[in-house]
Amino acid sequence: NAGVTQTPKFQVLKTGQSMTLQCAQDMNHEYMSWYRQDPGMGLRLIHYSVGAGITDQGEVPNGYNVSRSTTEDFPLRLLSAAPSQTSVYFCASSYGQGADEKLFFGSGTQLSVL
Amino acid sequence: DAKTTQPPSMDCAEGRAANLPCNHSTISGNEYVYWYRQIHSQGPQYIIHGLKNNETNEMASLIITEDRKSSTLILPHATLRDTAVYYCIVRVFGGSQGNLIFGKGTKLSVKP
């Protein structure tokens, strides 16, 4: 199993550009989420999904969109990139509610907005 | 979910046990204690979780006080590869996975 795969690993954008960060998992997990991590900070939740067709906002959702058309994929869209969105982005997934409730994280996407 | 308090940093000698404390004085009866760690700039990694009994797995042990207001993560024989930021999180079991809130954690430095 590949686990949680994020692409790209690095990206540089100009202010105002849009792009999509990809996240895919092959563990048939119901739950998926996106976090951002800024220097010296913990992870902050952007958006999450409890299953295909269902998404909800986290702590810092402004400027980002998500959709969950399949169980496997949970892309994060930056609508109009801003320098404040320069960060490292992590995607995570987990089983549903149960004894194995633990998050599996991808290796991250480092995004710079100039 | 209840908040946690962790020291910002700790040192540990290689081969010794690393004991990482966490205070969660406002924890509710149905909230679990979770530990994750983040090595350098990698994605966080699950370590262990528990409700009120002590837990042990291949990575670590979790000791929860009887009143559940604090806990300690123990790495029995720390290695240089255990140098990481360790996050203590409390949350309701079975709640939305998207609502796992990470604080700033404890930066553990394992020294030769």
Side-chain angles (χ1 to χ4, degrees):
Chain A
N1 284 350
V4 179
T5 302
Q6 290 184 237
T7 56
K9 291 190 181 302
F10 302 94
Q11 183 70 50
V12 179
L13 293 177
K14 295 181 179 178
T15 297
Q17 286 185 315
S18 63
M19 79 157 295
T20 300
L21 307 186
Q22 301 291 344
C23 177
Q25 53 89 11
D26 60 0
M27 297 174 282
N28 201 31
H29 286 172
E30 289 293 323
Y31 294 87
M32 297 186 74
S33 52
W34 277 101
Y35 290 84
R36 61 176 287 173
Q37 186 172 36
D38 300 310
M41 304 282 288
L43 283 77
R44 291 186 293 169
L45 181 66
I46 305 172
H47 285 285
Y48 65 97
S49 169
V50 299
I54 305 169
T55 64
D56 207 343
Q57 297 181 350
E59 301 173 75
V60 289
N62 292 340
Y64 307 95
N65 271 0
V66 292
S67 60
R68 185 91 180 274
S69 56
T70 67
T71 299
E72 295 77 20
D73 300 300
F74 191 43
L76 178 72
R77 297 183 188 84
L78 280 70
L79 308 174
S80 177
S84 61
Q85 294 178 305
T86 293
S87 189
V88 181
Y89 291 84
F90 290 101
C91 178
S93 72
S94 71
Y95 295 111
Q97 302 168 5
D100 288 325
E101 192 183 39
K102 58 186 95 167
L103 286 176
F104 294 82
F105 284 84
S107 57
T109 295
Q110 189 167 326
L111 176 68
S112 294
V113 183
L114 307 177
Chain B
D1 294 331
K3 291 185 177 179
T4 63
T5 304
Q6 299 177 253
S9 64
M10 293 182 62
D11 290 340
C12 178
E14 188 178 19
R16 297 294 188 109
N19 298 289
L20 291 91
C22 180
N23 286 325
H24 30 79
S25 58
T26 60
I27 192 170
S28 301
N30 61 347
E31 287 184 311
Y32 283 67
V33 180
Y34 285 80
W35 285 84
Y36 284 77
R37 73 179 183 183
Q38 187 173 23
I39 297 173
H40 193 43
S41 54
Q42 298 176 21
Q45 176 189 24
Y46 166 85
I47 301 173
I48 199 167
H49 73 277
L51 182 61
K52 48 186 172 183
N53 297 324
N54 298 337
E55 302 288 344
T56 295
N57 63 20
E58 66 279 3
M59 291 183 67
S61 295
L62 174 61
I63 308 298
I64 303 173
T65 58
E66 193 169 344
D67 63 7
R68 302 207 326 119
K69 293 184 176 182
S70 66
S71 60
T72 301
L73 178 75
I74 301 172
L75 308 179
H77 305 287
T79 70
L80 298 179
R81 288 176 293 181
D82 292 321
T83 292
V85 177
Y86 288 77
Y87 297 99
C88 170
I89 303 160
V90 294
R91 65 182 302 269
V92 174
F93 201 44
S96 170
Q97 279 298 319
N99 290 335
L100 203 62
I101 307 298
F102 287 77
K104 295 187 178 181
T106 295
K107 184 174 183 178
L108 175 68
S109 298
V110 181
K111 301 182 183 299

